[in-house]
Amino acid sequence: MSAPRSFGLRDADLLRHQPYINGAWASGDGIPLEVTNPATGEILGSVETITPESVAHAVAAAEVAFPAWRARPAQERGALLEKWHDLILQHADDLARIMTLEQGKPLDEARGEVQSGAAFAKWFAEEGQRVYGEIVPSPANDRRLLVFREAVGVCAAITPWNFPSSMIVRKAAPALAAGCPLILKPAETTPFSALALAELARRAGFPPGVFNVVLGDPAKIGKVFTGHPAIRKISFTGSTRVGRLLLAEAAQQVQKVTLELGGNAPFIVFEDADLDAAVAGAIAAKFRNAGQVCVAVNRILAHASLFDRFVERFAAAAAALKVGNGLEADVRFGPLITQPSLDRITALVADAVAGGARIVTGGKPHALGGLFYEPTVLTHAAPDARVLREEIFGPLVTIQPFADDAEAIRIANDTEYGLASYFYTRDLGRLFRISGALQFGMVAVNTPVIASAASPFGGIKASGLGREGSRHGILDYLELKTVWVAGL
């Protein structure tokens, strides 16, 4: 298959169409998968998928690669990750263009994602060299008690379409740094980003079988992952519904599982907040990637004393956002990823309005047509409205007033999810009180930024298990081994 001219890449070899298995581009034996530009409807090309039996071959290749990769000094594994990091940054413009074409987000936003993803490769290249064991005080003088950390084994990762580059590196880097080969299953709608990263991993010099990319039916591949005895750890980012199914299946093999699932993030604006900063922060935290972000703001809670002012300013800022093709200048957000995604936003708005909600701005598909939807702000949503209970994953947000801190916390925590939360205040005491009371794995105060390579990323409750990023991110790829030495 040849690269369509519409990609316009400087390095056309980054555009790959085949699975990457055991250090080589493999022929597909499944049903070819077409990839569409969500902004234009143009078919960008197709990729070759493989059957579950061929996925098992990728697992076997990783299993063969494991002993030598685990035995390789951490500094050498880290040096290869550093090369991958450097290559990703060198090709950031092409990687961003691929992402915008197949995913839809603005080009600058895509470039920022590529750069943030590369940071995980560099972080874990260094962190892999700091996997320390312990010498535990012994209960007797004639023995010593040693604790080692060892690579868990072959790992699998399933990544989403909304961050088709950074989520891959965030999972692959700690696995590889720990000494674990990885089989990656990227989202069906955004495979080109994953395959481009595989090409750069090949150029970086990762040995055969250490990093593999398989393409095909997600349910069938997931069953291979959860049913294969060689796979000892699975990392999944996606919906809570699928995460629950994956966790149940992984239990049969007693596999380690990291889950980064859905969210229903509150954004609280207290009466002492810097209103301009809060509006700007809420816009950034809500409409990034057209709201198709697990940590995107779902529910804004504004203190009653400034509710009307906040609604007016926020709605005006939302209405002013430029919507369009991500390759165009000054576009702030692009299309939704698929027609079902647009239909779901339409249904959430209709449900809320039927229950008494008011549309302040937006509320319908954008005049551009296709998969574009207007930035939408609602108020007066009923407590049982779907828009308040479910993860939105689109350019839709509600704003509701609260009377005091206790009510804000009660409303914010009234969800099964516990991923991200935000609040704005200039009261130091409130900062610590509210941070402690919010039942979420991550809290951002006076900022819309909630992730970096250095910070633990993950949630509680129905939002998942485990953490990615930070020094904690490598731990789920390691097992503890206790060694008793006696006769001393």
Side-chain angles (χ1 to χ4, degrees):
M1 300 180 185
S2 60
R5 292 182 180 179
S6 58
F7 272 81
L9 304 181
R10 297 175 184 173
D11 185 346
D13 287 338
L14 290 178
L15 192 62
R16 296 288 179 168
H17 301 82
Q18 297 167 288
Y20 184 71
I21 299 173
N22 201 26
W25 298 104
S27 297
D29 55 6
I31 301 172
L33 178 68
E34 287 188 340
V35 182
T36 302
N37 182 337
T40 65
E42 171 195 12
I43 296 175
L44 298 171
S46 62
V47 295
E48 298 183 29
T49 68
I50 57 177
T51 62
E53 291 74 22
S54 293
V55 175
H57 295 158
V59 178
E63 191 175 11
V64 170
F66 176 49
W69 183 245
R70 173 181 56 185
R72 201 160 182 164
Q75 291 88 341
E76 292 185 12
R77 296 196 298 264
L80 293 175
L81 282 168
E82 290 271 12
K83 289 182 182 178
W84 197 29
H85 162 269
D86 294 345
L87 286 167
I88 291 171
L89 291 185
Q90 289 169 21
H91 295 84
D93 287 345
D94 274 353
L95 293 173
R97 187 171 182 84
I98 290 171
M99 190 190 312
T100 294
L101 285 165
E102 68 176 349
Q103 199 275 338
K105 67 180 56 176
L107 194 58
D108 285 345
E109 193 173 313
R111 190 178 292 109
E113 179 186 334
V114 170
Q115 293 168 346
S116 67
F120 287 96
K122 185 173 184 63
W123 176 270
F124 285 109
E126 299 166 352
E127 202 61 37
Q129 302 176 53
R130 293 188 281 272
V131 175
Y132 301 135
E134 303 173 21
I135 300 177
V136 179
S138 172
N141 291 330
D142 68 339
R143 63 199 63 194
R144 295 293 183 270
L145 179 53
L146 312 176
V147 180
F148 297 89
R149 292 187 186 273
E150 296 184 346
V152 67
V154 176
C155 298
I158 302 173
T159 54
W161 52 262
N162 58 335
F163 289 92
S165 180
S166 62
M167 293 300 96
I168 291 172
V169 186
R170 194 167 81 181
K171 295 180 187 299
L176 300 179
C180 302
L182 184 78
I183 302 101
L184 168 71
K185 162 62 179 74
E188 309 90 274
T189 48
T190 55
F192 288 128
S193 290
L195 296 175
L197 288 173
E199 168 62 17
L200 295 180
R202 185 193 66 79
R203 297 181 192 180
F206 287 105
V210 167
F211 182 65
N212 309 272
V213 180
V214 297
L215 308 169
D217 184 283
K220 293 179 180 178
I221 291 177
K223 286 189 177 297
V224 175
F225 287 168
T226 57
H228 202 297
I231 292 182
R232 300 312 314 149
K233 159 74 191 290
I234 299 174
S235 179
F236 170 76
T237 295
S239 72
T240 295
R241 181 187 65 82
V242 174
R244 285 174 169 140
L245 295 173
L246 193 67
L247 183 61
E249 292 178 2
Q252 303 308 307
Q253 296 284 343
V254 196
Q255 294 163 317
K256 297 185 74 170
V257 179
T258 296
L259 300 174
E260 197 263 282
L261 307 177
N264 188 4
F267 187 105
I268 309 172
V269 185
F270 289 99
E271 68 271 22
D272 64 326
D274 180 328
L275 195 56
D276 291 336
V279 169
I283 289 290
K286 171 65 252 183
F287 293 109
R288 177 177 172 220
N289 197 19
Q292 300 171 116
V293 183
C294 57
V295 296
V297 173
N298 266 26
R299 303 164 292 144
I300 297 177
L301 315 177
H303 190 270
S305 65
L306 50 72
F307 176 79
D308 291 338
R309 285 180 292 148
F310 181 88
V311 169
E312 180 181 2
R313 295 189 192 185
F314 179 82
L321 294 173
K322 183 177 179 181
V323 180
N325 189 320
L327 296 179
E328 298 174 3
D330 301 323
V331 166
R332 289 294 301 275
F333 73 81
L336 295 172
I337 189 69
T338 60
Q339 185 64 43
S341 296
L342 187 142
D343 293 342
R344 185 170 183 279
I345 297 302
T346 301
L348 287 173
V349 171
D351 173 79
V353 171
R358 303 175 189 174
I359 298 175
V360 183
T361 189
K364 61 184 183 298
H366 198 277
L368 290 170
L371 298 177
F372 294 97
Y373 198 91
E374 294 178 341
T376 299
V377 180
L378 305 179
T379 60
H380 298 84
D384 61 348
R386 289 177 57 196
V387 74
L388 295 180
R389 316 308 302 178
E390 302 177 14
E391 184 175 35
I392 294 174
F393 240 65
L396 164 64
V397 68
T398 63
I399 309 178
Q400 55 195 121
F402 66 91
D404 54 32
D405 291 13
E407 185 179 20
I409 291 299
R410 179 185 60 77
I411 296 172
N413 288 339
D414 185 21
T415 175
E416 69 169 329
Y417 298 103
L419 186 58
S421 56
Y422 307 80
F423 69 90
Y424 275 64
T425 183
R426 286 182 281 196
D427 184 320
L428 184 61
R430 174 179 278 144
L431 184 156
F432 287 102
R433 291 193 305 273
I434 302 302
S435 296
L438 286 169
Q439 297 170 4
F440 296 84
M442 297 176 289
V443 181
V445 186
N446 297 331
T447 176
V449 178
I450 204 162
S452 78
S455 62
F457 189 100
I460 61 175
K461 301 191 292 186
S463 288
L465 301 169
R467 293 295 182 271
E468 295 182 327
S470 80
R471 67 182 182 87
H472 303 282
I474 200 170
L475 297 181
D476 270 358
Y477 295 93
L478 299 165
E479 295 280 17
L480 291 175
K481 176 182 284 184
T482 304
V483 177
W484 283 81
V485 182
L488 303 178

